[in-house]
Amino acid sequence: MAKFIVVTGGVISGLGKGISSASIGKLLSSKLRVIPIKCDGYLNTDPGTMNPIEHGEVFVLDDGGEVDMDFGHYERFLEVNAKSSWNLTMGKIFQEILDNEREGNYLGKTVQYIPHVTDLIKQKFYQISQDENADIILIEIGGTVGDMENELYLEAVRQLGQEVGEHNIIFIHLTYIPKPRTTKEQKSKPTQQSVKLLNERGIWPSVIIGRASRSLTPATKNKIAMFCNVPSEAVISGVNVGSVYEIPLLYNEEGLPGILHKRLNIYSPPHLVEWRELVEKIKKPSHSVTIAICGKYTALQDSYASIIEALAQSGAHLDTRIHIKWLETTRIEDGETTIEKELEGVNGVIVPGGFGTRGIEGKIQVIKYVRENKIPFLGICYGMQLAVVEYARNVCGMANANTVEVECDNNSVEVPVVCILPSQREVTRKGGTMRLGGQDVALKPDTQAYELYGKARMIRQRFRHRYEINPEFVTILEEQGLVFSGYHPEEKIVQLMELPGHPFFIGTQFHPELISRLEKPEPLFYNLVKYSLMKA
Ligand code: GLN
């Protein structure tokens, strides 16, 4: 049977529980199969229909699941190909409960939060553990202890602890240790109170990770140990760091692996040699470049979490610090600023994925500028579609070219160079209905993309879209100089685009950021940084 690690959070949200959980898993993953499960309290089935500004990036899995952005951290740290069933939401749980009830599976019974909902949650944990042949099930409970919406998960993990016994489960609590300017000392009271909230729920954490600007002092550790009933070695400093990839190294130095080994009776020494070297490169690089990310969700950087990581990973291999310049393209449309001003000193540009009408004319202007000025450019999903719109308008003379995504009742697109995918025409329901997940991409030999992917004939990438480059315009766009360098292997769906004569002007229908890893950065990001360095 698998052993369980349960991570909860307290005091405030936004402490990086996902990265902490992924780092804990990383420390054990050299010899053990660690499977992450994320429990979200909201009633959406999945985050796919939420605005990224509200909830951060929607991460897309190879199996097509739209899941919490923490799965980005898990996949980047744990070398797993996660599955959508590993993301529980209260929406999914209640849906199953109600379906069961209508099926008559509870005939004669009153269906209740306890035991029916908690039993179903526990059943999911056991089922995933069995299906995946897991050594460690790493359960992260979303939100902060005390949130109403997570109570049922907490009760379920309490019961789980009772069922599997203390040497098969460990509870880790992540909290915040403030250091108010007035007292100039680390304050443990919020942590004590947060642990008490857990205790009230029958959960006694064995490890407490205190997030703080500096290492926890021995006095702070002792105080937390005394009032939270843990040995002081089990109070771990979670200090602010420049790169998230430092966190497993930090927990390792604080002795966390030994505590886990002893408690769970396991042995899996961390393998961090290559990881540490790459982290050193991130911390002390020799070069630097500035890459602009031009989108409309720039108010919350978590909306583009995987892009930021893919850039940092590429920077580690190129000994380069990446400065990110955020450009909210609506500001260009509103005349608040100009492209020349915003892109001054910028060495490369990304136009990321997006949806709807707002901000797109600004993006199109940015793309025109980088095409004409030969600034390295990566257009991702909507970014590629808009690059085609720009090219059609400004090079091919189709002034009214656009994507039909902007169409509404009184506005129809005259020259639809981006159209709806045939498979999407009849789709009316919104959740989980886009073209989603991993697909093969056949590369066209003798193109730049083919070279950058090491002359591979076929690559695998992840998708999330409803629209595509209109096949009716492919010939005319190609006659005017664009090259479509990657296609779906059977259907004629354009998946990659490039512009010969420009050093690096590439568009992808897929999201290369989702599969980039620290040890193996995605080639398009790597080369975007490399070409941007030449401009720096
Ligand atoms: N809105 C575009 C589409 O649905 C692009 C999606 C995206 O960028 N992820 O096709």
Side-chain angles (χ1 to χ4, degrees):
M1 192 188 65
K3 311 267 177 170
F4 295 86
I5 298 177
V6 181
V7 181
T8 54
V11 184
I12 54 171
S13 59
L15 292 175
K17 199 151 23 79
I19 290 168
S20 283
S21 304
S23 301
I24 295 165
K26 168 91 190 152
L27 293 175
L28 295 178
S29 63
S30 70
K31 286 197 163 51
L32 300 174
R33 181 161 161 77
V34 181
I35 299 297
I37 297 178
K38 171 82 196 281
C39 301
D40 283 310
Y42 50 73
L43 291 174
N44 303 63
T45 310
D46 59 45
T49 55
M50 293 185 208
N51 187 330
I53 293 187
E54 178 137 347
H55 188 260
E57 168 184 85
V58 177
F59 196 78
V60 181
L61 300 175
D62 191 77
D63 72 5
E66 296 177 290
V67 292
D68 186 80
M69 62 179 285
D70 281 342
F71 279 88
H73 307 309
Y74 302 152
E75 286 203 343
R76 286 188 281 271
F77 282 54
L78 294 178
E79 287 168 45
V80 286
N81 222 344
K83 298 195 180 139
S84 50
S85 58
W86 304 353
N87 192 180
L88 306 187
T89 65
M90 274 300 162
K92 281 186 195 167
I93 297 287
F94 284 136
Q95 192 163 42
E96 199 169 325
I97 293 278
L98 295 177
D99 287 346
N100 279 339
E101 189 266 341
R102 291 289 87 175
E103 289 286 321
N105 295 344
Y106 308 112
L107 274 189
K109 294 266 185 330
T110 308
V111 185
Q112 292 182 302
Y113 291 137
I114 297 167
H116 300 101
V117 175
T118 45
D119 279 355
L120 181 60
I121 295 170
K122 281 187 294 175
Q123 187 195 321
K124 299 275 173 209
F125 298 152
Y126 290 128
Q127 190 68 49
I128 293 168
S129 153
Q130 202 179 14
D131 292 349
E132 298 302 327
N133 207 359
D135 297 311
I136 303 281
I137 292 284
L138 180 69
I139 300 170
E140 179 193 340
I141 312 240
T144 342
V145 52
D147 293 346
M148 177 89 82
E149 61 175 21
N150 293 307
E151 295 289 359
L152 290 165
Y153 289 125
L154 289 176
E155 171 59 14
V157 291
R158 183 196 67 76
Q159 293 180 14
L160 180 73
Q162 194 62 18
E163 286 172 10
V164 300
E166 67 170 332
H167 288 291
N168 295 313
I169 191 164
I170 184 166
F171 291 91
I172 299 181
H173 192 52
L174 183 76
T175 76
Y176 176 58
I177 317 281
K179 188 174 171 186
R181 241 185 291 162
T182 40
T183 59
K184 291 195 179 62
E185 64 173 1
Q186 293 174 336
K187 289 293 184 190
S188 67
K189 186 75 82 197
T191 297
Q192 296 177 37
Q193 287 171 336
S194 162
V195 169
K196 288 221 166 68
L197 285 179
L198 268 181
N199 296 161
E200 279 170 20
R201 286 154 182 81
I203 294 171
W204 298 78
S206 302
V207 173
I208 293 167
I209 304 178
R211 293 277 290 106
S213 48
R214 293 280 167 79
S215 286
L216 303 185
T217 63
T220 309
K221 285 194 174 184
N222 288 337
K223 202 158 181 187
I224 293 174
M226 169 60 101
F227 293 105
C228 301
N229 271 306
V230 295
S232 71
E233 309 80 72
V235 183
I236 305 282
S237 289
V239 293
N240 294 342
V241 282
S243 156
V244 295
Y245 302 103
E246 277 181 65
I247 297 173
L249 304 174
L250 210 80
Y251 290 175
N252 188 36
E253 277 157 34
E254 290 276 305
L256 185 55
I259 297 172
L260 298 173
H261 292 169
K262 196 162 148 207
R263 166 65 179 262
L264 299 176
N265 198 15
I266 51 176
Y267 187 61
S268 180
H271 279 179
L272 295 169
V273 179
E274 191 198 350
W275 190 273
R276 184 175 288 113
E277 281 166 13
L278 289 164
V279 169
E280 285 309 313
K281 286 272 183 263
I282 294 180
K283 282 164 76 179
K284 290 197 200 73
S286 315
H287 316 285
S288 82
V289 290
T290 302
I291 308 271
I293 298 181
C294 310
K296 70 168 172 183
Y297 310 122
T298 54
L300 182 72
Q301 299 190 0
D302 272 356
S303 316
Y304 301 115
S306 293
I307 293 181
I308 298 172
E309 294 311 323
L311 287 171
Q313 295 157 358
S314 302
H317 289 261
L318 289 160
D319 198 9
T320 298
R321 182 184 312 278
I322 317 281
H323 296 286
I324 294 179
K325 155 94 192 169
W326 297 99
L327 174 51
E328 176 73 35
T329 48
T330 50
R331 292 179 54 234
I332 294 177
E333 292 170 10
D334 300 344
E336 274 176 52
T337 184
T338 63
I339 294 180
E340 288 78 5
K341 197 166 128 202
E342 294 295 324
L343 295 191
E344 205 190 318
V346 165
N347 311 111
V349 166
I350 292 176
V351 174
F355 294 87
T357 308
R358 199 171 63 85
I360 73 164
E361 288 302 323
K363 292 182 191 172
I364 292 172
Q365 289 178 44
V366 167
I367 296 168
K368 177 170 190 282
Y369 184 87
V370 300
R371 180 178 55 76
E372 291 177 345
N373 290 283
K374 301 227 178 338
I375 297 172
F377 164 76
L378 180 59
I380 298 171
C381 204
Y382 214 4
M384 171 178 93
Q385 296 170 358
L386 296 174
V388 167
V389 170
E390 188 280 321
Y391 201 79
R393 284 187 193 173
N394 300 319
V395 179
C396 308
M398 305 178 204
N400 295 324
N402 215 335
T403 163
V404 299
E405 190 165 349
V406 305
E407 279 188 340
C408 55
D409 297 342
N410 51 9
N411 165 25
S412 72
V413 169
E414 268 177 52
V415 186
V417 290
V418 177
C419 64
I420 190 137
L421 281 158
S423 58
Q424 290 286 318
R425 277 190 201 128
E426 310 300 324
V427 173
T428 49
R429 284 164 71 98
K430 286 292 180 225
T433 56
M434 281 187 254
R435 178 173 183 255
L436 283 167
Q439 302 270 347
D440 289 340
V441 178
L443 299 180
K444 198 188 269 178
D446 304 323
T447 58
Q448 189 180 13
Y450 179 71
E451 292 300 322
L452 299 181
Y453 282 109
K455 298 193 172 31
R457 284 292 170 120
M458 197 77 84
I459 56 172
R460 192 167 176 84
Q461 292 280 353
R462 297 186 191 172
F463 292 78
R464 182 175 190 244
H465 63 129
R466 287 188 203 285
Y467 300 89
E468 65 165 336
I469 307 304
N470 191 339
E472 289 175 20
F473 286 85
V474 162
T475 312
I476 178 159
L477 289 161
E478 285 197 315
E479 280 167 7
Q480 300 283 334
L482 273 188
V483 168
F484 295 110
S485 41
Y487 276 92
H488 185 281
E490 286 108 40
E491 299 158 51
K492 271 277 154 238
I493 304 177
V494 167
Q495 324 242 46
L496 252 169
M497 175 214 85
E498 63 193 54
L499 180 61
H502 189 294
F504 190 94
F505 189 93
I506 292 193
T508 62
Q509 187 57 72
F510 49 82
H511 289 268
E513 69 276 20
L514 300 177
I515 60 164
S516 194
R517 305 282 178 263
L518 180 60
E519 303 94 323
K520 201 165 175 286
E522 209 285 338
L524 297 184
F525 278 92
Y526 177 87
N527 280 287
L528 173 72
V529 175
K530 197 169 130 189
Y531 279 90
S532 303
L533 257 177
M534 294 176 200
K535 278 266 174 187

